[in-house]
Amino acid sequence: MEPNNRRSFLKKATLATTSLGLGLMDHSAAFAPKKTKNKLPKWRGFNLLDFFSPEMERGRKNKEEYLRWMADWGFDFVRIPMSYPSYLNFDRTKPIRPDEVLNFDEERLEEIDRLVDLSHKYGLHVSLNLHRAPGFCINAGFIEPYNLWEDDEALEAFCAHWEMWSKRYKNISSKKLSFDLVNEPYKRQDPNDQHSPGGPVPVEEYRKVAKAALATIKGINKKRLVIADGNGGGGIAVPELADLDLHQSCRGYFPMHISHHKASWVYKDPDSLPDPSWPAAHNNTYYGREQLEKHYAPWIELLKKGVGVHCGECGCYNKTPHKVFLAWFGDVLDILHENGIGFGIWEFSGTFGVLNSGRTDIAYEDWYGEKLDREMLNLLMKYA
């Protein structure tokens, strides 16, 4: 059965189980105020981390059946966060030099082509993202030769990468492929130290980078759909970009003491943290549904300005108690859904995923040899 037919069958089956209740529908909903229409589709799906590492062979490889299951379960979106060194040819025993950042390796590029093509085979929209761009990554683990936000040479290289991808995929429709410029803009005192103090990129610097890359991409295919991540690590809406032909990507990680509980790349002493609750106070601040709505209010304002919004990353690390995760994430997904905003779970299989997440507080369902978090999947499928 073709992907679209499978998806149609699953949706029809779901509708059939609820059709008896249609006569009890509250018709007052027809008179409710209309929500602002989102200019981006309400894509729902997952991030694929095959090329997330600077070393391509260390990426978290996804199997073809994962893509088929996504489609069968009603999902229609994958985001591919890429580390630019993963598809270059250079001496990996030394820090990369500025003159090496454009040494594209055709064999490595073809590996990415295959994942894009395979995703399209199952009817999934692909969002291609530079998770590590020349001169910037929110994660440590690789020494950058310059600073994307400050150095013209880095910006030129950044645009050259997007020029390469734009030409390579020029003839693929925006219905099937979009570009996500750079993952989670953030500016640290020491760009190569993940724990160095920092904060949002000054808006004029972010705008300069986004505008230059946008011009490069649109100069090759003016119809290409282009997305900019929120500032300050993805969570801050950027109305200063609203006049550009850009849509924006938020995050589903607020508050981080829920989403990233005991994450070693966030906290210096993760094991000392007490388990969180939802809703509940944390460090003398109360967090619940109302605080979530306030957090997403600036993103809803962007929708009113005509900027499309999608949640490119969301989910929860496996150290958060499962019941707390589901209670919190149900509120997150409700708010996104009510405003026509789709989502991309950080991964399909792994510590944030529906498969093989490594939790110790749930009973997994065996799914063709994989460990399935059925409760999480059921929650996601409510919105797929």
Side-chain angles (χ1 to χ4, degrees):
M1 186 182 294
E2 293 298 318
N4 287 338
N5 290 336
R6 281 196 296 268
R7 188 177 300 130
S8 176
F9 171 79
L10 288 170
K11 289 187 178 294
K12 287 179 180 177
T14 301
L15 287 173
T17 63
T18 60
S19 60
L20 292 177
L22 290 179
L24 301 177
M25 184 182 295
D26 181 3
H27 294 284
S28 64
F31 301 100
K34 291 184 178 180
K35 294 286 184 180
T36 303
K37 183 174 175 57
N38 192 346
K39 289 191 175 180
L40 283 180
K42 193 162 65 175
W43 298 308
R44 290 141 296 182
F46 303 86
N47 282 252
L48 303 180
L49 309 188
D50 299 53
F51 310 108
F52 170 68
S53 170
E55 302 288 340
M56 182 175 283
E57 60 273 14
R58 294 184 181 179
R60 305 177 201 174
K61 302 304 180 186
N62 286 274
K63 306 172 185 177
E64 180 172 352
E65 54 261 42
Y66 289 179
L67 302 176
R68 184 175 70 249
W69 294 339
M70 290 179 199
D72 285 349
W73 289 333
F75 299 101
D76 59 3
F77 172 86
V78 292
R79 181 173 180 262
I80 303 178
M82 303 179 300
S83 181
Y84 79 91
S86 72
Y87 55 81
L88 298 182
N89 182 12
F90 65 100
D91 184 352
R92 296 176 183 273
T93 67
K94 304 174 182 178
I96 195 169
R97 303 190 310 265
D99 63 307
E100 295 176 318
V101 299
L102 300 182
N103 290 350
F104 301 124
D105 186 323
E106 182 60 26
E107 288 188 8
R108 292 170 179 266
L109 293 174
E110 288 174 357
E111 287 292 312
I112 297 172
D113 291 346
R114 278 189 275 274
L115 182 56
V116 171
D117 291 343
L118 201 57
S119 300
H120 288 158
K121 174 182 175 181
Y122 291 98
L124 305 170
H125 178 91
V126 173
S127 173
L128 204 66
N129 164 250
L130 279 180
H131 188 275
R132 177 175 292 278
F136 171 73
C137 184
I138 198 164
N139 299 121
F142 187 87
I143 299 175
E144 290 297 329
Y146 35 37
N147 188 321
L148 175 61
W149 313 116
E150 297 179 356
D151 301 327
D152 289 342
E153 191 176 6
L155 178 54
E156 290 172 6
F158 179 62
C159 290
H161 276 255
W162 279 120
E163 179 181 22
M164 181 274 294
W165 288 116
S166 298
K167 289 180 177 178
R168 194 172 190 90
Y169 297 147
K170 179 180 179 179
N171 295 321
I172 298 179
S173 167
S174 277
K175 292 181 179 179
K176 299 173 65 176
L177 177 74
S178 57
F179 290 160
D180 181 346
L181 294 178
V182 59
N183 182 71
E184 299 178 357
Y186 196 81
K187 192 168 185 181
R188 292 189 172 91
Q189 291 180 12
D190 180 353
N192 291 308
D193 180 0
Q194 189 166 328
H195 295 292
S196 175
V201 178
V203 171
E204 66 276 9
E205 294 180 10
Y206 188 12
R207 182 181 172 88
K208 178 182 177 181
V209 168
K211 190 174 181 180
L214 179 66
T216 298
I217 294 166
K218 294 289 187 175
I220 296 165
N221 182 346
K222 64 181 180 180
K223 294 183 179 179
R224 177 63 61 216
L225 196 62
V226 184
I227 294 171
D229 280 10
N231 206 347
I236 301 174
V238 194
E240 295 87 351
L241 302 182
D243 62 310
L244 302 177
D245 189 10
L246 280 170
H247 302 290
Q248 295 191 31
S249 177
C250 64
R251 292 294 178 266
Y253 295 142
F254 175 85
M256 287 193 72
H257 75 271
I258 299 287
S259 65
H260 286 69
H261 178 54
K262 292 188 176 182
S264 60
W265 63 96
V266 176
Y267 300 102
K268 289 186 177 181
D269 187 16
D271 291 336
S272 68
L273 299 173
D275 283 346
S277 298
W278 183 265
H282 175 76
N283 290 343
N284 298 318
T285 299
Y286 185 81
Y287 293 94
R289 172 79 180 226
E290 182 180 352
Q291 287 67 40
L292 276 177
E293 290 174 343
K294 290 179 179 178
H295 173 76
Y296 288 106
W299 296 97
I300 309 310
E301 289 301 311
L302 278 183
L303 292 177
K304 295 177 182 178
K305 293 177 182 290
V307 178
V309 175
H310 184 260
C311 184
E313 286 186 26
C314 57
C316 193
Y317 189 48
N318 65 4
K319 297 298 189 291
T320 301
H322 197 245
K323 290 183 178 179
V324 175
F325 157 48
L326 294 179
W328 161 76
F329 203 47
D331 283 342
V332 172
L333 292 177
D334 267 347
I335 293 169
L336 295 176
H337 177 71
E338 287 175 1
N339 291 282
I341 299 172
F343 61 82
I345 306 299
W346 172 237
E347 56 189 330
F348 187 67
S349 174
T351 55
F352 279 70
V354 295
L355 294 180
N356 311 312
S357 59
R359 292 185 175 275
T360 60
D361 57 347
I362 64 171
Y364 287 102
E365 175 182 330
D366 179 75
W367 183 262
Y368 299 97
E370 312 276 350
K371 294 181 178 180
L372 172 64
D373 181 346
R374 174 61 71 174
E375 285 188 274
M376 179 181 176
L377 178 60
N378 286 344
L379 175 62
L380 298 179
M381 288 181 67
K382 284 177 59 179
Y383 304 99

